[in-house]
Amino acid sequence: MQIPQPAEDTAGEVTVSGNVGRLAATIDRLRREIHDAQLAAEGRALIALARGVLVERLRCGPTQAAQQLAALAEQAGLSQLELATDIINQTAQDRLSDAARDFLTRTGAEARDAGASSVAVRLRTAESGVLYATDSQMVAESLLEHALAPLGATAVAMWAAGPDASLTLAGYAGFSAEEARRWRYVPPGVATPARRALVERQTVWFSSLSEPGLPSIGQRQLSGGGRVTIPAGTGGRILGVLEICWPQPLQPQPPQIHKQMEALAELCAHTLEAPADQRAAAPHMAELIDLVDALPDPALVLTPQLDDGGRLTDFRIHHSNSRFADPAGRPRGVVTGALLLEAYPLAAGDSGLLEKIEHVHATGEPFRAEGMTLTALADQVPLTTLADISLTRHGDCILLIWRVQDEVVRLASLLQHAQRLGRIGGFEENAQTGEITWNSQLYELYGLTSADRPIPLERLRERAHPDDATAIGRFLRTVLHHRHPSATAFRLQRDDGIIRHIRVVAEPVFDADGRMAAIRGAYQDISAQHWTEVALAATRDRLALSEQQVDERNRLTLQLQHAIMPPARGPVEAFGLHIAVRYRPAEKEHLIGGDWYDTFILPSKQILLSVGDIAGHGIEAATGMVILRNALRGLAATGAGPAQLLTWLNLVAHHLTESVTATAVCGLYDPTTRVLRWARAGHLPPVLIRRNRATELSMIGGILLGAVSDADYAEERIQLERDDTLLMYTDGLIERRDRSLQHSQAQLLITAEHPTASLDHRLDHLLTHCNSDTDDDTCLIGVQLH
């Protein structure tokens, strides 16, 4: 057969003529038709599925469902494929519908109209392609074509995770066949982007593959491009990894793209799940139990426990071998069959055992650790065990082996750590051969290396400070001559010029015939203790002086306070008022505060009643109290009302004192009208007892004194009646650490209503039964109208 040659046309272009050209054109046309047919078939599958949903919802036949779908699509201005996708998403409520809904939520209205339907159609079309694919290779091609290419991705790889955390290329698209053959299998432990997602059990984004320097499929072809690797799994177990590649560096992606990637990985997980015949080939449970029973170490077989949504929640102890001993002392039968977190709730704590089990179950990567602390509860008492742990996955089960460390080895290790922490060095001298054995800590104390010869005990004077020669002589005579244990402290002078304070202890060791066979002992570096004792001695001297100064300061404060307000004061009768006061100082002298009270008859015949509380304790609070109390007396002589008096007193506290702040209540009683005008500055309001019922006066406005320079205070009036009793107090009367102030105020009203014979008895009753626990000063004024 003669093959026609290409001929040039008049324009100089090469054309193909004859049967070969027609055949090539036919093949290209058929290829496009097959591709279009595949797309149409996938679209028809989604439309058919949506019609089935309408049949079920509308209780109609297929023809009516098809007509209804077409009518709804025309009304909504959508294609039937877009409407079908929307119906499926509303019905499914799965990961794909979540991704589409997230796109709608996070984008604007214009973007929704432009892209929301395409995102949903793209994801559902990819799902349809996955469902109808016959192998993982077709799944990868469908994902790239329908879901990833619109996002700019040019290649995709699907990795299947092995039981040993290896990775096998299950499907690919966008890579050459030669590149796929090179990356057919990745052994365990080889660092790749896909393995990182497997080990970390989370999505990993790479803006450019060249940044982490991890080798991966297509690295030469897409060296500067971005990648994302997403673990794909179900039931807490990672079945594989989806790796998506872009030709250019990848910018940070919005959350809706992250959700779409995770939804596609979930599609891959169902594809990568082993078929039933392969799962049957996995190690049978009976074989695994036989293996566990033959192990020389304690072992457990754990099986995963999933909730209704298929999520891993815990592991069940399916089997324990005969060598297993529960750390809490429970029988094997109690532990076997229980959930891991029920039997060992502290496995989810600091030891991280549960996290390690979950990691092995998810990735298949074995885990081994020496000296891991396991904690169990016995009657709510934590018991710790040190053990070597081994975790391996067998099928869907986890084999947990723990080997409790040998007691002798463990105690030796503890002794070594104790010697290191206590800076203790041990030695032994053979009395017959003269051989000397030092441990590493003793070489370090002496400033020597292990290549240097140990120094005999009898030459200790040569290394000690001359002033310590007498003490060392008594020590050596006791040990070497009298053959008794002994100890002493001395200053060690090292070759490097450093002086250390050392305590040495030694004892003779005798053989069966009573002869001294060896001398054993230990050196301990007590330099830190020595200098601490020196510092403590100096500190004690300073503290003694400080305590003397504090005692003197407290004594002066108490004298000042008692001079102004004696703890006991007799009742006062004035203009039909019976006035009684009580002052209870703090029991602890260092808590002496600035509480004050005052009752004073003004030249206008009005009676000034006030209580206040200076913030803080000590001499500063007491002097501040004197300033404000005396200032209020002087200001009250002007005839101003309580609100104006507090306004002026606030200026005194803010400008004329050293940053004093205080609360106060000020009242003026007019005997002619029996009206009490009062105001408060951040203080608790007075209590009125009328007809044996106690109520708190209004919480009128007023900021504490000294906080700001300009402050206004509200004023109220109350008409007193015969036998009324008014109480004014500081918070030391009621304040408790274990209760709120509101609760203490309510208790005060109940206590105040207790019937008493006189006003003095009422005040004494209040001091006795208002059980405050802050040990603060307390001022209490009682006023009763006859």
Side-chain angles (χ1 to χ4, degrees):
M1 178 179 176
Q2 185 177 0
I3 301 176
Q5 299 297 320
E8 290 190 11
D9 59 11
T10 57
E13 296 178 351
V14 178
T15 60
V16 179
S17 61
N19 295 332
V20 174
R22 287 195 296 273
L23 179 60
T26 302
I27 292 173
D28 185 60
R29 177 177 55 79
L30 292 175
R31 186 181 290 114
R32 289 197 304 271
E33 290 179 356
I34 291 172
H35 177 71
D36 293 341
Q38 289 176 342
L39 292 178
E42 291 165 353
R44 285 196 298 272
L46 293 176
I47 292 173
L49 185 58
R51 289 173 179 171
V53 173
L54 292 178
V55 168
E56 191 276 332
R57 285 188 176 180
L58 303 178
R59 304 293 182 185
C60 64
T63 302
Q64 290 87 346
Q67 294 172 351
Q68 185 69 13
L69 182 65
L72 290 174
E74 183 177 357
Q75 293 173 7
L78 301 173
S79 67
Q80 290 195 36
L81 180 58
E82 290 172 332
L83 182 59
T85 302
D86 191 31
I87 292 173
I88 294 170
N89 282 339
Q90 293 179 14
T91 305
Q93 297 296 316
D94 58 359
R95 194 68 170 267
L96 293 182
S97 56
D98 286 345
R101 184 167 54 252
D102 188 67
F103 182 90
L104 283 168
T105 303
R106 295 179 181 271
T107 54
E110 203 172 301
R112 290 192 195 105
D113 296 338
S117 296
S118 63
V119 169
V121 171
R122 188 156 42 82
L123 294 176
R124 288 299 176 188
T125 304
E127 180 187 36
S128 179
V130 168
L131 293 176
Y132 287 97
T134 57
D135 56 25
S136 297
Q137 179 62 31
M138 292 182 64
V139 170
E141 293 173 354
S142 177
L143 288 179
L144 180 61
E145 179 178 3
H146 297 301
L148 299 174
L151 297 177
T154 56
V156 62
M158 288 174 50
W159 302 94
D164 55 353
S166 63
L167 293 169
T168 303
L169 187 62
Y172 67 93
F175 300 111
S176 65
E178 179 183 356
E179 183 73 2
R181 283 193 296 270
R182 291 180 59 246
W183 286 91
R184 180 185 60 83
Y185 175 75
V186 180
V190 177
T192 65
R195 176 171 176 77
R196 186 168 161 187
L198 174 68
V199 173
E200 295 181 9
R201 293 187 287 167
Q202 63 181 1
T203 302
V204 183
W205 292 81
F206 301 91
S207 59
S208 175
L209 192 59
S210 59
E211 292 179 5
L214 297 176
S216 188
I217 184 171
Q219 186 174 18
R220 289 176 292 182
Q221 174 187 350
L222 303 167
S223 58
R227 297 212 176 183
V228 60
T229 51
I230 313 122
T234 58
R237 179 176 170 185
I238 299 176
L239 304 173
V241 177
L242 176 63
E243 183 169 359
I244 306 169
C245 312
W246 281 264
Q248 69 281 340
L250 192 60
Q251 300 300 320
Q253 298 296 305
Q256 56 265 34
I257 298 298
H258 287 240
K259 280 207 169 185
Q260 292 178 38
M261 299 295 103
E262 293 169 0
L264 294 175
E266 187 171 297
L267 286 179
C268 295
H270 297 293
T271 304
L272 294 171
E273 195 168 12
D277 56 343
Q278 293 184 21
R279 291 197 298 269
H284 195 270
M285 181 65 74
E287 298 176 6
L288 180 58
I289 291 176
D290 290 342
L291 170 65
V292 170
D293 287 339
L295 292 175
D297 296 310
L300 299 175
V301 176
L302 308 177
T303 56
Q305 296 297 298
L306 310 179
D307 61 12
D308 295 337
R311 292 178 295 271
L312 179 68
T313 58
D314 200 350
F315 291 86
R316 189 171 298 280
I317 303 175
H318 183 80
H319 179 71
S320 59
N321 64 5
S322 58
R323 292 166 183 80
F324 172 77
D326 177 55
R330 294 169 294 189
R332 285 175 55 211
V334 174
V335 176
T336 303
L339 292 173
L340 181 66
L341 290 182
E342 291 179 357
Y344 303 103
L346 297 182
D350 296 338
S351 67
L353 179 61
L354 179 62
E355 181 182 353
K356 300 296 188 300
I357 295 173
E358 289 177 340
H359 182 87
V360 173
H361 175 259
T363 66
E365 185 179 31
F367 171 80
R368 292 177 179 82
E370 295 182 358
M372 191 171 181
T373 301
L374 302 179
T375 307
L377 289 176
D379 295 329
Q380 303 305 313
V381 177
L383 302 176
T384 58
T385 303
L386 208 60
D388 299 336
I389 295 295
S390 172
L391 294 170
T392 52
R393 190 177 75 189
H394 300 267
D396 206 31
C397 302
I398 297 295
L399 175 58
L400 167 59
I401 302 175
W402 63 33
R403 181 184 298 109
V404 178
Q405 289 190 350
D406 182 78
E407 190 69 12
V408 175
V409 175
R410 190 170 73 89
L411 290 178
S413 176
L414 286 174
L415 179 59
Q416 290 178 358
H417 287 298
Q419 290 176 341
R420 176 180 59 82
L421 294 173
R423 299 184 62 81
I424 298 174
F427 69 91
E428 181 177 284
E429 296 185 10
N430 191 306
Q432 307 300 325
T433 64
E435 181 183 2
I436 303 174
T437 303
W438 279 12
N439 68 359
S440 59
Q441 289 295 322
L442 189 49
Y443 280 103
E444 184 178 341
L445 288 181
Y446 266 85
L448 303 176
T449 67
S450 56
D452 297 321
R453 296 187 60 181
I455 299 169
L457 195 64
E458 61 184 10
R459 293 176 54 191
L460 190 58
R461 289 189 186 92
E462 300 174 11
R463 295 282 177 161
H465 191 280
D467 293 346
D468 298 328
T470 302
I472 292 176
R474 285 197 298 267
F475 165 73
L476 294 176
R477 191 163 48 253
T478 302
V479 175
L480 300 179
H481 179 68
H482 299 294
R483 300 184 178 185
H484 293 307
S486 184
T488 191
F490 67 98
R491 284 162 288 183
L492 174 67
Q493 295 180 321
R494 302 193 334 183
D495 294 338
D496 55 10
I498 296 176
I499 297 179
R500 310 298 297 178
H501 290 262
I502 301 294
R503 177 176 175 82
V504 60
V505 181
E507 66 174 4
V509 179
F510 302 97
D511 60 16
D513 298 328
R515 293 174 297 184
M516 188 168 69
I519 298 173
R520 293 174 184 162
Y523 292 80
Q524 183 179 16
D525 186 349
I526 59 171
S527 301
Q529 177 183 344
H530 170 77
W531 293 117
T532 300
E533 290 175 352
V534 172
L536 283 175
T539 303
R540 279 195 295 268
D541 293 339
R542 289 195 297 270
L543 284 176
L545 179 60
S546 298
E547 288 176 358
Q548 183 179 358
Q549 293 173 342
V550 170
D551 290 341
E552 182 66 20
R553 185 183 179 92
N554 288 339
R555 186 181 63 80
L556 292 174
T557 303
L558 198 58
Q559 287 178 348
L560 174 62
Q561 197 172 46
H562 286 179
I564 301 298
M565 289 180 304
R569 182 174 171 181
V572 176
E573 295 284 345
F575 304 107
L577 280 185
H578 181 70
I579 304 172
V581 297
R582 296 291 186 273
Y583 174 68
R584 181 176 63 194
E587 293 182 9
K588 297 179 181 178
E589 291 185 351
H590 70 277
L591 292 179
I592 294 172
D595 289 21
W596 90 82
Y597 66 87
D598 198 9
T599 60
F600 185 66
I601 301 176
L602 299 172
S604 63
K605 305 305 180 184
Q606 295 189 67
I607 301 174
L608 172 68
L609 304 170
S610 67
V611 294
D613 186 359
I614 302 289
H617 298 88
I619 189 69
E620 291 83 3
T623 54
M625 173 267 293
V626 173
I627 292 173
L628 295 187
R629 182 175 181 269
N630 291 341
L632 182 59
R633 274 197 175 191
L635 293 170
T638 64
Q644 183 61 56
L645 291 178
L646 290 183
T647 300
W648 289 337
L649 194 63
N650 176 68
L651 293 174
V652 173
H654 189 76
H655 294 289
L656 302 181
T657 63
E658 295 293 331
S659 302
V660 167
T661 58
T663 64
V665 170
C666 176
L668 287 175
Y669 175 71
D670 188 344
T672 306
T673 62
R674 294 187 174 183
V675 171
L676 175 74
R677 291 184 296 158
W678 70 281
R680 57 178 290 273
H683 202 88
L684 297 174
V687 172
L688 176 66
I689 305 173
R690 177 173 289 171
R691 302 183 189 91
N692 293 325
R693 181 182 178 88
T695 58
E696 195 173 60
L697 299 188
S698 302
M699 188 75 73
I700 58 177
I703 191 172
L704 78 164
L705 302 172
V708 295
S709 59
D710 297 324
D712 294 324
Y713 296 91
E715 181 175 307
E716 278 202 356
R717 296 167 175 258
I718 181 171
Q719 180 72 53
L720 295 182
E721 300 177 3
R722 184 179 179 84
D723 294 330
D724 280 356
T725 299
L726 189 73
L727 302 175
M728 301 167 69
Y729 61 96
T730 58
D731 56 8
L733 179 68
I734 63 172
E735 199 171 34
R736 291 188 60 84
R737 298 182 183 89
D738 58 347
R739 295 177 186 172
S740 67
L741 187 59
Q742 291 77 8
H743 182 274
S744 298
Q745 288 174 276
Q747 287 296 116
L748 172 64
L749 298 180
I750 296 174
T751 307
E753 291 177 351
H754 181 77
T756 56
S758 66
L759 178 62
D760 291 272
H761 289 159
R762 188 183 297 277
L763 298 190
D764 292 336
H765 180 80
L766 287 170
L767 286 177
T768 302
H769 295 281
C770 288
N771 55 341
S772 63
D773 65 354
T774 57
D775 191 25
D776 200 359
D777 291 10
T778 300
C779 289
L780 178 61
I781 294 179
V783 176
Q784 188 175 32
L785 183 62
H786 293 310

